[in-house]
Amino acid sequence: MEFEEIKKIWDTQSNKNYYAIDEEAMHKRVMKKNIEVKRMSSVDEWGLIIISLFLVGFMIYKAIAFNQPHKFASSVIFLLVAGYLYWDRKKRIKNDGTSDNTVLSDLEQAIRTIDYYIRKQQNFIWWFVLPAAISMVINLSFQSQGAIWRIPVVIAAILLGLFVVHLSLKYFVLPKKRNLESLRKTLLNSE
């Protein structure tokens, strides 16, 4: 149930709009939104950490099994990406702070988390795509001429990844942020 469904508006003799808010239902809704935003960030963080660690293992396997020592450089790159993601996750959790269990405090916490998520997605090109491209350049520099067909495939995969991140932000994350900010504005104006 959205905020608009919870509030009841009526006009008084002075023609001012007043809101009657079921604070308990509102707080439950805000807590649910806060949990959703934190879950979204956690799933994204852990998913990318697991993908990066999988790539580390795959590159080490290729380096050993196929005698391609240059793959160790790629494994180090993705290990650094996984380390950065883990460090950044710890920083996010620390900066989330604690809530004093008020509607506004929980709402502010949800907005901080979604702002973090948006910044991270907007910088995706720097902390994931750039290291992946560096890894690709290292690996392709050791390939024979027959591997040149991989370049357009990798570029297409990178562009697809950026496009998916853009769509996710535009149609899912930013509307969620606007909803939270609208709710905050309404709460602040009703005080």
Side-chain angles (χ1 to χ4, degrees), residues 51-144:
I51 289 169
S52 296
L53 292 175
F54 172 78
L55 289 170
V56 168
F58 181 72
M59 294 298 175
I60 290 173
Y61 165 75
K62 296 266 290 194
I64 294 170
F66 299 103
N67 194 24
Q68 298 175 337
H70 61 277
K71 299 282 186 184
F72 284 117
S74 293
S75 67
V76 168
I77 288 170
F78 284 105
L79 186 60
L80 290 172
V81 169
Y84 165 75
L85 289 165
Y86 184 75
W87 170 80
D88 200 48
R89 173 181 164 70
K90 289 291 189 185
K91 187 174 82 169
R92 174 190 60 86
I93 291 170
K94 181 181 176 187
N95 289 339
D96 267 352
T98 57
S99 171
D100 59 3
N101 290 329
T102 64
V103 175
L104 196 54
S105 176
D106 286 343
L107 188 57
E108 292 291 343
Q109 192 176 52
I111 291 171
R112 277 193 309 273
T113 303
I114 207 161
D115 281 341
Y116 154 84
Y117 184 82
I118 290 168
R119 277 190 309 276
K120 186 160 199 130
Q121 295 304 80
Q122 289 172 334
N123 292 318
F124 179 73
I125 194 166
W126 301 114
W127 59 264
F128 195 82
V129 173
L130 182 62
I134 291 170
S135 174
M136 179 191 74
V137 168
I138 291 169
N139 289 319
L140 288 176
S141 67
F142 286 92
Q143 298 292 318
S144 65

Side-chain angles (χ1 to χ4, degrees), residues 132-178:
I134 291 170
S135 174
M136 179 191 74
V137 168
I138 291 169
N139 289 319
L140 288 176
S141 67
F142 286 92
Q143 298 292 318
S144 65
Q145 292 293 336
I148 200 81
W149 64 269
R150 293 180 184 171
I151 293 173
V153 172
V154 172
I155 290 172
I158 289 171
L159 292 175
L160 178 64
L162 291 171
F163 182 68
V164 168
V165 166
H166 172 75
L167 288 179
S168 171
L169 283 173
K170 184 175 181 179
Y171 293 108
F172 181 69
V173 180
L174 291 174
K176 190 177 286 252
K177 179 183 178 185
R178 284 190 293 272

